[in-house]
Amino acid sequence: MKNKIIIMLKWIRQYIFRIIPDKLYLKIVFRIKVGRRLNLKSPKTFNEKLQWLKLYNRNPEYTAMADKYKVREYVRSKIGEEYLIPLIGVYDKFDDINFDKLPNQFVIKCNHDSGSVVICKDKKNFDINAARKKINRAMRYNYYYVGREWQYKNIERKIIIEEYLSKLDGDVKDYKFFVFNNHFAYSFICSNRQKKVKFTFFDKDGKFIDVKQGGADYDKKVELPKNYNKMISLAEKLAKGIPELRVDFYEADGKIYFGELTFFDASGFDKFEPEKWDETFGSLLKLPKRRDRNGGVNDGNKS
């Protein structure tokens, strides 16, 4: 009886959670996580502007760009096939996967969320049941409801398997480039994932920025990748015509690999230390105009 009550309470909480309108939900979560009221009438900070974009910059094309399978075609058309990690297969459900036909090493992931990744380095020791449980749980969940990042809402869910690149093994670093209004603004390197993740920020000239995000520390010893300038150029091509986009790359043996496209870094809920950097980064981003219900034009950069 007790278990039934717990399940019922979870269902009720989840249902209420889902029916809260986007704007109200974002205001509530922003207040809880960032610690202040969300200003949507005249957003100034980076995090505020991300919330504004969630609500007022809903381009249907962004859904395909957030889809880890369909984005491959977008990348192919913009910068070329050579930057994509080779694809092994695409599946509608986990039980469609024939593991006997897979190579000894591979990577399984869902196309519609963040974090549902399973790495197989040796098929003999691979726990298929644990992988099935993780992937099936992710396939049942609509990632849109976490931060109301609307581009995830209507992604047709798939399971993709990519080649495992041993050259990216060890302390894999993500090189994350922020492009605002067609121009590279700043970047950060994500490192030390296997222990305690670190985010190290750099300005557009490649100079270290003394700022922390989301409570993560930085690593002043981390170095820019050899292909840093090339990555900037590629990021700008992928983000052309989009107000704000984060483009992720990897680098191994001098070769660049595409990671993913992210419209709302940390869903716009991570604090910056010192706090001034939230507004400093925000000042680099000019919001597009939007039309209200009466046909008038509202500019997100003005009150």
Side-chain angles (χ1 to χ4, degrees):
M1 184 64 177
K2 184 179 179 180
N3 288 337
K4 289 183 178 180
I5 293 175
I6 292 174
I7 292 173
M8 184 179 297
L9 289 173
K10 286 184 177 179
W11 184 87
I12 292 173
R13 184 176 63 184
Q14 185 179 46
Y15 178 74
I16 294 174
F17 170 69
R18 291 190 174 201
I19 64 173
I20 297 175
D22 288 350
K23 183 182 288 188
L24 177 58
Y25 175 85
L26 293 176
K27 287 183 176 181
I28 293 171
V29 177
F30 193 88
R31 184 62 180 263
I32 293 171
K33 292 193 173 185
V34 182
R36 52 187 170 77
R37 293 179 63 184
L38 173 59
N39 177 6
L40 289 172
K41 291 184 178 180
S42 182
K44 296 292 190 296
T45 70
F46 175 63
N47 282 327
E48 286 175 339
K49 289 186 176 183
L50 288 188
Q51 309 310 323
W52 190 96
L53 288 167
K54 285 181 187 179
L55 295 169
Y56 305 123
N57 185 48
R58 299 187 172 188
N59 186 332
E61 295 179 359
Y62 297 169
T63 294
M65 295 170 67
D67 183 326
K68 290 180 174 60
Y69 173 55
K70 290 186 177 180
V71 73
R72 297 176 63 88
E73 180 55 39
Y74 179 80
V75 172
R76 188 178 292 113
S77 67
K78 296 294 183 179
I79 61 175
E81 175 88 24
E82 63 268 27
Y83 299 104
L84 293 171
I85 295 175
L87 182 69
I88 295 174
V90 185
Y91 310 86
D92 291 321
K93 55 183 184 295
F94 190 89
D95 289 337
D96 288 342
I97 303 171
N98 186 340
F99 285 90
D100 291 335
K101 293 186 177 181
L102 294 181
N104 188 52
Q105 297 180 322
F106 51 85
V107 176
I108 307 176
K109 63 178 69 172
C110 293
N111 70 322
H112 70 289
D113 69 349
S114 176
S116 58
V117 178
V118 178
I119 299 174
C120 175
K121 296 183 180 182
D122 183 357
K123 201 159 61 171
K124 292 181 180 179
N125 300 315
F126 185 61
D127 190 337
I128 293 179
N129 289 329
R132 178 186 291 108
K133 184 177 181 180
K134 180 175 182 178
I135 295 298
N136 284 345
R137 186 189 305 118
M139 288 290 282
R140 291 192 295 268
Y141 193 73
N142 192 325
Y143 194 66
Y144 151 75
Y145 289 106
V146 177
R148 300 301 170 95
E149 298 181 42
W150 62 271
Q151 75 277 9
Y152 290 114
K153 188 174 185 178
N154 297 313
I155 291 178
E156 182 182 358
R157 299 172 203 177
K158 301 283 185 181
I159 300 167
I160 61 177
I161 299 183
E162 295 177 337
E163 286 188 10
Y164 172 76
L165 302 179
S166 58
K167 60 186 67 176
L168 292 177
D169 206 352
D171 181 17
V172 180
K173 295 180 178 62
D174 288 296
Y175 302 104
K176 302 177 183 293
F177 297 81
F178 291 80
V179 181
F180 298 163
N181 314 115
N182 299 322
H183 300 291
F184 169 62
Y186 63 94
S187 67
F188 76 82
I189 298 176
C190 179
S191 62
N192 204 45
R193 282 187 178 274
Q194 295 178 341
K195 297 180 181 179
K196 189 175 181 180
V197 68
K198 295 183 178 182
F199 300 151
T200 310
F201 285 76
F202 298 88
D203 66 17
K204 65 179 182 180
D205 297 316
K207 296 180 180 178
F208 169 76
I209 303 175
D210 190 358
V211 60
K212 297 180 182 179
Q213 183 186 14
D217 204 349
Y218 50 66
D219 181 4
K220 293 190 70 172
K221 294 182 180 179
V222 74
E223 297 180 354
L224 296 176
K226 293 181 180 179
N227 290 301
Y228 189 70
N229 290 330
K230 178 64 174 178
M231 289 179 181
I232 291 174
S233 175
L234 294 174
E236 289 183 333
K237 289 180 180 179
L238 290 171
K240 187 176 181 180
I242 302 169
E244 181 276 338
L245 191 66
R246 196 192 81 199
V247 183
D248 297 2
F249 293 109
Y250 304 106
E251 182 182 70
D253 293 339
K255 181 172 173 55
I256 299 171
Y257 294 95
F258 169 77
E260 65 178 0
L261 302 179
T262 299
F263 286 90
F264 307 109
D265 177 59
S267 201
F269 294 132
D270 270 1
K271 293 182 180 180
F272 290 90
E273 303 174 44
E275 190 175 351
K276 68 176 184 178
W277 283 100
D278 197 357
E279 188 163 342
T280 298
F281 290 145
S283 68
L284 303 176
L285 171 59
K286 180 176 175 58
L287 294 176
K289 294 180 178 180
R290 69 179 180 90
R291 295 196 175 274
D292 61 27
R293 293 180 180 178
N294 298 318
V297 177
N298 291 328
D299 191 339
N301 302 287
K302 299 177 182 179
S303 57

Short mmCIF file of all heavy atoms in Angstrom, two decimals, residues 43-50 180-181 185-186 244 272 275-287 300-301:
data_model
loop_
_atom_site.label_atom_id
_atom_site.label_comp_id
_atom_site.label_asym_id
_atom_site.label_seq_id
_atom_site.Cartn_x
_atom_site.Cartn_y
_atom_site.Cartn_z
N PRO A 43 15.96 41.86 -20.33
CA PRO A 43 17.03 40.96 -19.86
C PRO A 43 18.42 41.55 -20.11
O PRO A 43 18.67 42.10 -21.17
CB PRO A 43 16.80 39.69 -20.68
CG PRO A 43 16.06 40.15 -21.89
CD PRO A 43 15.20 41.29 -21.45
N LYS A 44 19.27 41.43 -19.12
CA LYS A 44 20.63 41.97 -19.22
C LYS A 44 21.70 40.88 -19.15
O LYS A 44 22.71 40.95 -19.83
CB LYS A 44 20.87 42.97 -18.07
CG LYS A 44 19.98 44.21 -18.13
CD LYS A 44 20.34 45.09 -19.31
CE LYS A 44 19.64 46.45 -19.25
NZ LYS A 44 18.18 46.35 -19.33
N THR A 45 21.49 39.88 -18.30
CA THR A 45 22.51 38.86 -18.09
C THR A 45 22.41 37.76 -19.14
O THR A 45 21.39 37.60 -19.82
CB THR A 45 22.40 38.23 -16.69
OG1 THR A 45 21.21 37.42 -16.64
CG2 THR A 45 22.34 39.30 -15.61
N PHE A 46 23.48 36.99 -19.24
CA PHE A 46 23.51 35.85 -20.17
C PHE A 46 22.40 34.86 -19.84
O PHE A 46 21.65 34.42 -20.73
CB PHE A 46 24.88 35.18 -20.08
CG PHE A 46 25.01 33.93 -20.91
CD1 PHE A 46 24.90 33.97 -22.29
CD2 PHE A 46 25.25 32.71 -20.30
CE1 PHE A 46 25.02 32.82 -23.05
CE2 PHE A 46 25.38 31.55 -21.06
CZ PHE A 46 25.26 31.61 -22.44
N ASN A 47 22.26 34.52 -18.57
CA ASN A 47 21.24 33.55 -18.17
C ASN A 47 19.83 34.07 -18.43
O ASN A 47 18.94 33.30 -18.84
CB ASN A 47 21.40 33.18 -16.69
CG ASN A 47 22.54 32.19 -16.48
OD1 ASN A 47 22.81 31.35 -17.33
ND2 ASN A 47 23.21 32.29 -15.35
N GLU A 48 19.59 35.34 -18.19
CA GLU A 48 18.27 35.91 -18.48
C GLU A 48 17.97 35.86 -19.97
O GLU A 48 16.84 35.54 -20.39
CB GLU A 48 18.20 37.36 -17.99
CG GLU A 48 18.09 37.51 -16.49
CD GLU A 48 18.15 38.96 -16.05
OE1 GLU A 48 18.66 39.81 -16.82
OE2 GLU A 48 17.67 39.24 -14.93
N LYS A 49 18.96 36.18 -20.78
CA LYS A 49 18.74 36.19 -22.22
C LYS A 49 18.50 34.79 -22.77
O LYS A 49 17.75 34.62 -23.74
CB LYS A 49 19.92 36.88 -22.92
CG LYS A 49 19.96 38.38 -22.67
CD LYS A 49 21.03 39.10 -23.46
CE LYS A 49 20.95 40.61 -23.24
NZ LYS A 49 21.92 41.38 -24.05
N LEU A 50 19.10 33.78 -22.15
CA LEU A 50 18.82 32.42 -22.58
C LEU A 50 17.36 32.05 -22.31
O LEU A 50 16.71 31.40 -23.14
CB LEU A 50 19.75 31.43 -21.86
CG LEU A 50 21.22 31.42 -22.28
CD1 LEU A 50 21.96 30.26 -21.64
CD2 LEU A 50 21.38 31.36 -23.80
N PHE A 180 27.76 34.43 -30.80
CA PHE A 180 26.64 35.36 -30.64
C PHE A 180 26.51 36.20 -31.89
O PHE A 180 27.47 36.86 -32.31
CB PHE A 180 26.85 36.29 -29.44
CG PHE A 180 26.95 35.60 -28.10
CD1 PHE A 180 27.48 36.26 -27.02
CD2 PHE A 180 26.53 34.29 -27.93
CE1 PHE A 180 27.58 35.66 -25.77
CE2 PHE A 180 26.61 33.66 -26.70
CZ PHE A 180 27.14 34.34 -25.61
N ASN A 181 25.32 36.19 -32.50
CA ASN A 181 25.05 37.05 -33.65
C ASN A 181 26.11 36.91 -34.74
O ASN A 181 26.67 37.89 -35.23
CB ASN A 181 24.94 38.51 -33.21
CG ASN A 181 24.07 38.67 -31.96
OD1 ASN A 181 24.56 39.08 -30.90
ND2 ASN A 181 22.80 38.35 -32.07
N ALA A 185 32.37 34.70 -29.50
CA ALA A 185 32.41 35.59 -28.33
C ALA A 185 33.42 35.14 -27.29
O ALA A 185 34.24 35.93 -26.81
CB ALA A 185 31.02 35.69 -27.69
N TYR A 186 33.38 33.88 -26.90
CA TYR A 186 34.32 33.33 -25.92
C TYR A 186 34.19 31.82 -25.93
O TYR A 186 33.33 31.25 -26.63
CB TYR A 186 34.05 33.88 -24.51
CG TYR A 186 32.70 33.53 -23.92
CD1 TYR A 186 32.53 32.42 -23.09
CD2 TYR A 186 31.58 34.32 -24.18
CE1 TYR A 186 31.29 32.11 -22.56
CE2 TYR A 186 30.35 34.02 -23.64
CZ TYR A 186 30.20 32.91 -22.84
OH TYR A 186 28.98 32.59 -22.30
N GLU A 244 22.28 32.88 -30.83
CA GLU A 244 23.22 32.36 -29.82
C GLU A 244 23.31 30.86 -29.97
O GLU A 244 22.31 30.17 -30.09
CB GLU A 244 22.73 32.72 -28.42
CG GLU A 244 23.64 32.27 -27.28
CD GLU A 244 23.39 30.84 -26.84
OE1 GLU A 244 22.28 30.30 -27.09
OE2 GLU A 244 24.31 30.22 -26.27
N PHE A 272 27.44 32.33 -12.18
CA PHE A 272 28.83 32.68 -12.48
C PHE A 272 29.46 33.31 -11.26
O PHE A 272 28.81 34.02 -10.49
CB PHE A 272 28.90 33.67 -13.65
CG PHE A 272 28.54 33.08 -14.99
CD1 PHE A 272 27.23 33.11 -15.44
CD2 PHE A 272 29.51 32.49 -15.79
CE1 PHE A 272 26.88 32.57 -16.67
CE2 PHE A 272 29.17 31.96 -17.02
CZ PHE A 272 27.85 31.99 -17.46
N GLU A 275 29.83 37.21 -10.04
CA GLU A 275 28.51 37.32 -10.67
C GLU A 275 28.50 38.29 -11.85
O GLU A 275 27.68 38.17 -12.76
CB GLU A 275 27.49 37.77 -9.62
CG GLU A 275 26.05 37.70 -10.10
CD GLU A 275 25.07 38.03 -8.99
OE1 GLU A 275 25.51 38.15 -7.82
OE2 GLU A 275 23.88 38.20 -9.30
N LYS A 276 29.45 39.26 -11.84
CA LYS A 276 29.47 40.27 -12.91
C LYS A 276 29.60 39.65 -14.30
O LYS A 276 29.18 40.25 -15.30
CB LYS A 276 30.63 41.25 -12.67
CG LYS A 276 32.01 40.62 -12.84
CD LYS A 276 33.13 41.64 -12.70
CE LYS A 276 34.49 41.00 -12.98
NZ LYS A 276 35.60 41.99 -12.90
N TRP A 277 30.19 38.44 -14.36
CA TRP A 277 30.42 37.84 -15.66
C TRP A 277 29.12 37.40 -16.34
O TRP A 277 29.05 37.28 -17.55
CB TRP A 277 31.39 36.67 -15.54
CG TRP A 277 32.80 37.16 -15.40
CD1 TRP A 277 33.52 37.27 -14.24
CD2 TRP A 277 33.62 37.66 -16.44
NE1 TRP A 277 34.75 37.82 -14.51
CE2 TRP A 277 34.84 38.06 -15.85
CE3 TRP A 277 33.46 37.83 -17.82
CZ2 TRP A 277 35.88 38.60 -16.60
CZ3 TRP A 277 34.50 38.36 -18.57
CH2 TRP A 277 35.70 38.74 -17.95
N ASP A 278 28.09 37.17 -15.56
CA ASP A 278 26.79 36.85 -16.13
C ASP A 278 26.31 38.01 -17.00
O ASP A 278 25.83 37.83 -18.12
CB ASP A 278 25.79 36.56 -15.01
CG ASP A 278 24.55 35.82 -15.51
OD1 ASP A 278 24.43 35.58 -16.72
OD2 ASP A 278 23.70 35.47 -14.67
N GLU A 279 26.50 39.23 -16.50
CA GLU A 279 26.09 40.41 -17.26
C GLU A 279 27.11 40.74 -18.36
O GLU A 279 26.74 41.20 -19.44
CB GLU A 279 25.92 41.61 -16.34
CG GLU A 279 25.31 42.81 -17.05
CD GLU A 279 24.75 43.85 -16.10
OE1 GLU A 279 24.52 43.54 -14.92
OE2 GLU A 279 24.55 45.00 -16.55
N THR A 280 28.39 40.49 -18.08
CA THR A 280 29.42 40.75 -19.08
C THR A 280 29.21 39.89 -20.32
O THR A 280 29.22 40.37 -21.46
CB THR A 280 30.83 40.50 -18.51
OG1 THR A 280 31.07 41.38 -17.41
CG2 THR A 280 31.89 40.73 -19.58
N PHE A 281 29.00 38.59 -20.11
CA PHE A 281 28.73 37.70 -21.23
C PHE A 281 27.40 38.08 -21.90
O PHE A 281 27.26 38.03 -23.12
CB PHE A 281 28.69 36.24 -20.77
CG PHE A 281 30.03 35.69 -20.37
CD1 PHE A 281 30.14 34.77 -19.33
CD2 PHE A 281 31.18 36.08 -21.03
CE1 PHE A 281 31.37 34.25 -18.96
CE2 PHE A 281 32.43 35.57 -20.67
CZ PHE A 281 32.52 34.65 -19.63
N GLY A 282 26.43 38.46 -21.09
CA GLY A 282 25.13 38.86 -21.62
C GLY A 282 25.21 40.08 -22.51
O GLY A 282 24.47 40.21 -23.49
N SER A 283 26.12 40.99 -22.18
CA SER A 283 26.25 42.23 -22.96
C SER A 283 26.76 41.96 -24.37
O SER A 283 26.60 42.80 -25.28
CB SER A 283 27.21 43.20 -22.26
OG SER A 283 28.54 42.71 -22.27
N LEU A 284 27.37 40.80 -24.59
CA LEU A 284 27.90 40.44 -25.91
C LEU A 284 26.81 39.91 -26.84
O LEU A 284 27.02 39.81 -28.05
CB LEU A 284 29.00 39.38 -25.76
CG LEU A 284 30.19 39.74 -24.86
CD1 LEU A 284 31.13 38.55 -24.76
CD2 LEU A 284 30.93 40.95 -25.40
N LEU A 285 25.67 39.56 -26.26
CA LEU A 285 24.59 38.94 -27.02
C LEU A 285 23.45 39.93 -27.28
O LEU A 285 22.84 40.43 -26.34
CB LEU A 285 24.06 37.72 -26.25
CG LEU A 285 22.78 37.05 -26.77
CD1 LEU A 285 22.96 36.58 -28.21
CD2 LEU A 285 22.39 35.89 -25.86
N LYS A 286 23.18 40.20 -28.53
CA LYS A 286 22.06 41.06 -28.91
C LYS A 286 20.88 40.17 -29.28
O LYS A 286 20.97 39.35 -30.20
CB LYS A 286 22.43 41.96 -30.09
CG LYS A 286 21.30 42.90 -30.53
CD LYS A 286 21.75 43.83 -31.62
CE LYS A 286 20.61 44.69 -32.15
NZ LYS A 286 19.97 45.51 -31.10
N LEU A 287 19.78 40.34 -28.58
CA LEU A 287 18.60 39.53 -28.84
C LEU A 287 17.88 39.98 -30.11
O LEU A 287 17.87 41.16 -30.44
CB LEU A 287 17.64 39.61 -27.65
CG LEU A 287 18.15 39.01 -26.33
CD1 LEU A 287 17.13 39.24 -25.22
CD2 LEU A 287 18.42 37.51 -26.48
N GLY A 300 13.98 42.49 -27.40
CA GLY A 300 14.44 41.97 -26.12
C GLY A 300 15.59 42.73 -25.51
O GLY A 300 15.91 42.52 -24.34
N ASN A 301 16.21 43.63 -26.25
CA ASN A 301 17.33 44.39 -25.72
C ASN A 301 16.89 45.69 -25.06
O ASN A 301 17.69 46.42 -24.53
CB ASN A 301 18.32 44.71 -26.86
CG ASN A 301 18.80 43.45 -27.53
OD1 ASN A 301 19.59 42.72 -26.98
ND2 ASN A 301 18.28 43.17 -28.73
#
